[in-house]
Amino acid sequence: MQIKKTKENKIITPNFEEKLTWKQVNTGQALWTRKKSHINETEYKEFYKNFFHDDQDPIAWSHNHVEGNQEYISLLYIPKKASWDIWNRIIDSSDLPLNISREILQNNQITKIIKNSLTKRILSIFSSTYTQSNIQNISLDDYVSRMQPNQEKIFYITADSYLSAKNNPHLEKLKEKNIEVLLLFDRIDEWMMNYVTSFNKIEFQSISKNNGYLEKIFDNKTIDQKKSEQELSPMILRIKSYLKDKVKNVRFTSKLTNTPAAVTTDEHDITTQ
């Protein structure tokens, strides 16, 4: 830039407008405000590690947009190493008051409602074969009220989607007997059911796991069925010989009606989800 002086020793500078170029340095929209269908697994994990300053991936997460009397968005994470209150979470609500202390916020009525709603969502509200819908609006009290007279456990199945749960072959015989099954397809459900073992002293039972109680329910084989099993026992031996150590066992079951075979796990093993 050139600077000129006049005879009166006045400094004259050229007129110009400085142009600024702005560059966006973040991703813009907050991740939790986006639709779940628009967020992939890597984005959820990277956001968790950056936001909560954890170098490990979370075990699972639950992301929900809730509308009603109180509208809010919740994003809950389960860390590999549990924090003091187990969960890492983000709650976004326009109904919450601003510029107040944490103590007042914790005692706020809206905060209590959201807290109770989240607790119910995580531990008490499910889809089930009763409604044949992916809407999670079945409480455990509802389920228990519809249990069959001789039913001693709460049955459930975990899967990675509603359709996978709904079409699971382990449901076939239970549907025939009109026994309701909870359909669990949120990411946290598999982890949760390892710790939540009963409700009102009624035990939970995964229908995809080997269990003596399930076998007792299904053990009503006819004479013809027992005869068929004897005739087909050489086939079972051949399958075992072929699969070898890839499976623990191969056996006949009365749990299936339309599906020729299904994979199960032992009582205390991780399911096949």
Side-chain angles (χ1 to χ4, degrees), residues 208-211 248 264-271:
S208 66
K209 293 187 175 184
N210 294 324
N211 180 272
K248 287 185 177 180
T264 64
T265 58
D266 285 340
E267 181 72 13
H268 301 292
D269 289 345
I270 298 174
T271 67

Short mmCIF file of all heavy atoms in Angstrom, two decimals, residues 208-211 248 264-271:
data_model
loop_
_atom_site.label_atom_id
_atom_site.label_comp_id
_atom_site.label_asym_id
_atom_site.label_seq_id
_atom_site.Cartn_x
_atom_site.Cartn_y
_atom_site.Cartn_z
N SER A 208 -34.07 -67.17 23.21
CA SER A 208 -33.03 -67.68 22.31
C SER A 208 -31.93 -68.41 23.07
O SER A 208 -30.93 -68.81 22.49
CB SER A 208 -32.42 -66.53 21.51
OG SER A 208 -31.72 -65.64 22.35
N LYS A 209 -32.13 -68.61 24.38
CA LYS A 209 -31.14 -69.32 25.19
C LYS A 209 -31.70 -70.66 25.66
O LYS A 209 -32.90 -70.78 25.93
CB LYS A 209 -30.72 -68.47 26.40
CG LYS A 209 -29.95 -67.22 26.03
CD LYS A 209 -29.42 -66.51 27.26
CE LYS A 209 -28.55 -65.32 26.88
NZ LYS A 209 -27.95 -64.67 28.06
N ASN A 210 -30.82 -71.65 25.75
CA ASN A 210 -31.23 -72.96 26.25
C ASN A 210 -31.61 -72.85 27.72
O ASN A 210 -30.85 -72.31 28.53
CB ASN A 210 -30.10 -73.97 26.08
CG ASN A 210 -29.79 -74.23 24.62
OD1 ASN A 210 -30.69 -74.25 23.79
ND2 ASN A 210 -28.52 -74.44 24.31
N ASN A 211 -32.76 -73.38 28.04
CA ASN A 211 -33.23 -73.28 29.42
C ASN A 211 -34.21 -74.41 29.70
O ASN A 211 -35.07 -74.72 28.89
CB ASN A 211 -33.90 -71.92 29.65
CG ASN A 211 -34.41 -71.75 31.06
OD1 ASN A 211 -35.53 -72.12 31.37
ND2 ASN A 211 -33.57 -71.20 31.92
N LYS A 248 -21.47 -76.11 20.06
CA LYS A 248 -21.37 -76.95 21.26
C LYS A 248 -22.19 -78.22 21.12
O LYS A 248 -21.82 -79.27 21.63
CB LYS A 248 -21.85 -76.16 22.49
CG LYS A 248 -20.90 -75.08 22.95
CD LYS A 248 -21.40 -74.45 24.24
CE LYS A 248 -20.42 -73.41 24.75
NZ LYS A 248 -20.90 -72.78 26.02
N THR A 264 -29.01 -71.27 19.00
CA THR A 264 -29.28 -70.86 20.37
C THR A 264 -27.96 -70.75 21.13
O THR A 264 -26.91 -71.18 20.64
CB THR A 264 -30.18 -71.87 21.10
OG1 THR A 264 -29.49 -73.12 21.20
CG2 THR A 264 -31.49 -72.06 20.38
N THR A 265 -28.02 -70.18 22.32
CA THR A 265 -26.84 -70.10 23.18
C THR A 265 -27.20 -70.68 24.54
O THR A 265 -28.37 -70.85 24.88
CB THR A 265 -26.37 -68.64 23.36
OG1 THR A 265 -27.45 -67.87 23.91
CG2 THR A 265 -25.95 -68.04 22.04
N ASP A 266 -26.17 -70.97 25.33
CA ASP A 266 -26.41 -71.46 26.68
C ASP A 266 -26.92 -70.34 27.58
O ASP A 266 -26.81 -69.15 27.24
CB ASP A 266 -25.14 -72.07 27.27
CG ASP A 266 -24.84 -73.44 26.67
OD1 ASP A 266 -25.78 -74.06 26.13
OD2 ASP A 266 -23.68 -73.88 26.73
N GLU A 267 -27.42 -70.71 28.72
CA GLU A 267 -28.11 -69.79 29.62
C GLU A 267 -27.32 -68.53 29.93
O GLU A 267 -27.85 -67.42 29.94
CB GLU A 267 -28.44 -70.52 30.93
CG GLU A 267 -29.19 -69.68 31.96
CD GLU A 267 -30.63 -69.42 31.58
OE1 GLU A 267 -31.13 -70.08 30.65
OE2 GLU A 267 -31.24 -68.54 32.20
N HIS A 268 -26.01 -68.65 30.17
CA HIS A 268 -25.22 -67.50 30.61
C HIS A 268 -24.29 -66.96 29.52
O HIS A 268 -23.40 -66.16 29.80
CB HIS A 268 -24.41 -67.88 31.85
CG HIS A 268 -25.26 -68.33 33.00
ND1 HIS A 268 -26.11 -67.48 33.68
CD2 HIS A 268 -25.42 -69.56 33.57
CE1 HIS A 268 -26.75 -68.14 34.63
NE2 HIS A 268 -26.35 -69.41 34.59
N ASP A 269 -24.50 -67.39 28.29
CA ASP A 269 -23.69 -66.89 27.18
C ASP A 269 -24.35 -65.66 26.55
O ASP A 269 -25.54 -65.41 26.75
CB ASP A 269 -23.52 -67.96 26.10
CG ASP A 269 -22.61 -69.09 26.55
OD1 ASP A 269 -21.90 -68.89 27.56
OD2 ASP A 269 -22.62 -70.15 25.91
N ILE A 270 -23.56 -64.91 25.78
CA ILE A 270 -24.10 -63.79 25.01
C ILE A 270 -25.00 -64.34 23.92
O ILE A 270 -24.71 -65.37 23.32
CB ILE A 270 -22.96 -62.95 24.40
CG1 ILE A 270 -22.09 -62.36 25.50
CG2 ILE A 270 -23.52 -61.84 23.51
CD1 ILE A 270 -20.86 -61.65 24.99
N THR A 271 -26.11 -63.67 23.65
CA THR A 271 -27.03 -64.16 22.63
C THR A 271 -26.43 -64.00 21.24
O THR A 271 -25.37 -63.39 21.06
CB THR A 271 -28.37 -63.39 22.67
OG1 THR A 271 -28.14 -62.04 22.27
CG2 THR A 271 -28.97 -63.43 24.06
#
